[in-house]
Amino acid sequence: MKPSALTLAETLQVVARKLQRGQSAERHADSTTCENVMTCPIRPIGSGNEHCPFDWLAVYDGRDEHSPLIGKFCGLGKFPFSIIGTSQYMYVEFVTSPAGPLLNTGFHFNVGNWPGHVETAGIKHGICDWLLSSDSLKDSSASEGIFLSIAHWYPPNTSCSYHIKGRTGEIVRLYFPSFRINRIESPILKYDGDCGESLTIYDSDRTDPARIIKTFCDTFSRPMEKVDFVSTSPSLYVQFESKTGSYSGSSLYYWAHYDFFNNTRFGDPVANTLCDEVMYAWKHPGGKIRSPMNSLIFKRTGGSDVRCQYKFITDRRLYARALIEVSAVMFKELPYNNNACTRCHEERVDKLVIWEEREKFQNNLACFCDNIPRPVRVISSADQMNLEMIVQGQHAITSYFKNPNPLFEAYYEFAHGPLCGPITLGPSPDGELVYPFKKALALVTGPMAAIPEHHYRREKCIWELKVAAQRDLWLHLEKARFGDRTCDSAKIEVYLAGRLEPRFIVCPENISLARDLPILSAADLGALASDQEPLPVLIQYTGDGQPGKNAFRLVWTELFHLPRNPDGSLAASLLQDGGGCDFKCPGNTEVCIPRHLLCNGIENCPNVTHISTMAELTRHIVWNLEQLGLWHEHKDNPNQLRELILHDESPEICLKEELNTLPYGKIFLFTLGVSAMMFLLITILCRMCRRNQTIIKHTGY
């Protein structure tokens, strides 16, 4: 460039003054010489109309003079910076002063290229405002989006925004693989204060000062590379601001990556935890759960174990139990992990643990650290249950970060409402299970009911029936009334310990078979030793929850199985002490019941008349009559015994039992009390009559 310090008029005025001074000197002294030096002050390189009144060079950001003006430059010297345009075109205009070039020699510049922008998957608004959405990133088939710092000129007071917007339920992660912070080297406008250029990250969809995550300034901030900035909502807002502008790009050089993670929750998130959730029965009565869909949690722990706890909480006024059915466990196998999945609770392996609290202690219910061939159902014994996923921290990132597959899948629900009654039944020689529970009917019916009649839910009841040691179990559906005739409307299932399939099912379609349910032996019940109680039997009812629509009465009896010698004969010596075997049931079942179950109005002996021969039905008659002290009444008629099937409610036993069990002592005391009262009443009446006669004599009537 060539600066021009003087105009043509100013030059002519200087020459005239010199000539005048020369003429004056010649008049006063012939040998006098006068010299006048004309100087041209050097102007430094400047820009703008106020600094460039003569020759100037204009640079436009585009194809012609109608494009945005980057600057108008003049002066003498070398540019301390480059000028970078926003596209592959720049237009340069040179204008000279009317006075001519004088001593200046023009301008000289070099033209080069600069790497352009990385293609950003988003929508651009204005000059540098972007909407970077999850949908746009998905359409580009890229796993991460990219945007860069401004690498070209921009005017003072420039503001650029990047609104990173995810779908509902997603969160945003932003990190900088490369980040440098320099001084502002090519400002358009001088600025002496702090934070002439800044980059601010907001946990919001706009510039909200209350939601600032981090601000970087050119004067005092340090860059943070490969650090995750994560939103708590579907939006993250990034804003770049410059008070000075720049000819060659931002002093904050960054390469930003962003991606989206599905942060959908199945329950209520627990504050200040990584991934804990709570499923309240009154808010989330049932549904599907799985490992966190947000795989970012496997990267944010810093090498420590990843623990996600799902807590299931109910209220006994609504439900008394929680059920979890684990359908799949899919932890990865690690080639260098020496810990085998043999002792799930103790080994340091990836696992899924189900437990509940009992008296402030953790009671482990189940543990899974390997794939399961079929679904497993776990039922709580109280109104709370916990499921916890534990992933070892040393390999969490490499194994599960950005892994779309679930680590486990399960279903949960809450069951056993007030109509179901108590959770645990037995152990007792006999008992009954009645649905609906009469004491709870007032809670769910009538004007004070919490649920309108047309909103009754489908009821599920789960009872635990405990059985004494060395006892068999016989269940008998004594009464049942179902509103519909299909198994979808009502169903009773009986599960044995450790079995996934029900032992038998009772529903309206097979109600006739329910009266002859098979006997469950102590071995079937899972008794581990002769002196230990077997595991409880689970009885589950599923049906319409409207009170009065379905009702049933299920009776159970604990049976003593008759012991046998190795040759198959009865071991009579083992029955000498009684042991609860006072009456041998007819048929081929080889079971007996205690005496107090006779004639109690319930058939406690299994009904096996259709599967037993007459010999089997009558072979214990003599023994039973001897035990009950009735043999002397029937020993004279042996032919009659051949046709007599003696069960626990037979009239031959019950008539005698009723006479034998009459409370004669109580009857005597009652009669004595009534006699004393009558005697006292008669005595009082007699005294009153004598008193009245005495009064009449004294009055003379």
Side-chain angles (χ1 to χ4, degrees), residues 446-458:
M448 301 301 292
I451 304 176
E453 185 175 354
H454 58 283
H455 288 162
Y456 286 114
R457 60 177 182 251
R458 190 168 178 83

Side-chain angles (χ1 to χ4, degrees), residues 85-110:
T86 60
S87 66
Q88 64 267 40
Y89 299 102
M90 291 183 71
Y91 184 81
V92 180
E93 181 184 21
F94 175 63
V95 178
T96 62
S97 169
L102 294 179
L103 302 176
N104 298 314
T105 59
F107 65 91
H108 174 77
F109 63 84
N110 295 324

Side-chain angles (χ1 to χ4, degrees), residues 63 83 111 127 321 349 357 377 479 593 603 615:
R63 291 175 177 267
I83 300 176
V111 178
I127 297 177
R321 288 182 181 272
V349 293
E357 291 186 3
R377 189 174 67 161
K479 296 180 181 179
I593 60 176
E603 292 186 6

Side-chain angles (χ1 to χ4, degrees), residues 289-332:
I289 58 173
R290 50 156 286 176
S291 58
M293 305 180 74
N294 176 18
S295 65
L296 189 60
I297 66 170
F298 300 108
K299 188 177 182 292
R300 299 179 63 187
T301 56
S304 59
D305 292 350
V306 180
R307 290 177 173 265
C308 298
Q309 186 178 126
Y310 302 82
K311 185 180 289 290
F312 304 88
I313 299 178
T314 182
D315 190 319
R316 286 186 175 273
R317 292 171 296 180
L318 296 174
Y319 303 98
R321 288 182 181 272
L323 287 82
I324 299 176
E325 184 177 281
V326 181
S327 57
V329 177
M330 293 168 284
F331 294 115
K332 288 189 176 181

Side-chain angles (χ1 to χ4, degrees), residues 625-639:
L625 293 176
E626 289 179 350
Q627 290 293 110
L628 300 175
L630 303 176
W631 171 242
H632 63 281
E633 299 181 4
H634 299 277
K635 62 181 180 179
D636 297 332
N637 298 316
N639 294 329

Side-chain angles (χ1 to χ4, degrees), residues 85-368:
T86 60
S87 66
Q88 64 267 40
Y89 299 102
M90 291 183 71
Y91 184 81
V92 180
E93 181 184 21
F94 175 63
V95 178
T96 62
S97 169
L102 294 179
L103 302 176
N104 298 314
T105 59
F107 65 91
H108 174 77
F109 63 84
N110 295 324
V111 178
N113 55 17
W114 190 261
H117 289 291
V118 175
E119 188 66 26
T120 302
I123 302 174
K124 189 176 182 179
H125 301 285
I127 297 177
C128 58
D129 294 329
W130 286 86
L131 174 62
L132 309 175
S133 66
S134 176
D135 294 331
S136 299
L137 184 62
K138 184 179 180 181
D139 293 340
S140 67
S141 300
S143 60
E144 294 185 358
I146 301 173
F147 65 90
L148 306 179
S149 57
I150 303 177
H152 54 77
W153 85 279
Y154 49 87
N157 299 316
T158 292
S159 177
C160 298
S161 64
Y162 306 88
H163 181 193
I164 310 173
K165 182 180 180 181
R167 304 186 188 94
T168 302
E170 290 183 332
I171 59 174
V172 185
R173 178 185 67 139
L174 173 71
Y175 69 99
F176 301 97
S178 179
F179 201 161
R180 294 196 304 270
I181 299 179
N182 305 314
R183 291 186 176 183
I184 303 175
E185 298 178 350
S186 55
I188 296 176
L189 182 66
K190 295 293 183 180
Y191 181 77
D192 297 329
D194 289 332
C195 221
E197 291 189 337
S198 64
L199 184 73
T200 305
I201 305 172
Y202 298 90
D203 184 12
S204 177
D205 58 356
R206 62 187 184 279
T207 56
D208 186 355
R211 308 280 294 179
I212 294 178
I213 298 177
K214 181 66 178 178
T215 297
F216 299 96
C217 287
D218 65 291
T219 52
F220 55 80
S221 296
R222 293 183 178 181
M224 299 177 66
E225 293 184 351
K226 299 178 181 179
V227 176
D228 293 337
F229 299 95
V230 183
S231 70
T232 58
S233 66
S235 290
L236 198 69
Y237 197 87
V238 182
Q239 185 177 43
F240 169 77
E241 290 182 308
S242 174
K243 299 180 178 69
T244 63
S246 176
Y247 289 113
S248 57
S250 170
S251 62
L252 305 177
Y253 172 79
Y254 52 84
W255 182 294
H257 284 214
Y258 65 91
D259 48 8
F260 303 90
F261 293 87
N262 191 343
N263 197 40
T264 302
R265 302 295 187 97
F266 304 97
D268 292 352
V270 180
N272 302 320
T273 62
L274 185 65
C275 49
D276 292 357
E277 300 180 38
V278 180
M279 269 61 71
Y280 295 105
W282 50 92
K283 296 177 65 176
H284 313 282
K288 178 183 177 181
I289 58 173
R290 50 156 286 176
S291 58
M293 305 180 74
N294 176 18
S295 65
L296 189 60
I297 66 170
F298 300 108
K299 188 177 182 292
R300 299 179 63 187
T301 56
S304 59
D305 292 350
V306 180
R307 290 177 173 265
C308 298
Q309 186 178 126
Y310 302 82
K311 185 180 289 290
F312 304 88
I313 299 178
T314 182
D315 190 319
R316 286 186 175 273
R317 292 171 296 180
L318 296 174
Y319 303 98
R321 288 182 181 272
L323 287 82
I324 299 176
E325 184 177 281
V326 181
S327 57
V329 177
M330 293 168 284
F331 294 115
K332 288 189 176 181
E333 295 184 2
L334 303 178
Y336 303 106
N337 189 4
N338 297 325
N339 295 326
C341 185
T342 54
R343 294 180 299 171
C344 182
H345 289 289
E346 293 81 9
E347 298 290 350
R348 282 190 54 80
V349 293
D350 299 343
K351 54 190 172 183
L352 190 70
V353 182
I354 301 178
W355 52 277
E356 62 182 359
E357 291 186 3
R358 285 186 180 179
E359 299 178 355
K360 299 182 179 180
F361 291 97
Q362 179 173 321
N363 178 37
N364 293 322
L365 300 177
C367 185
F368 308 92

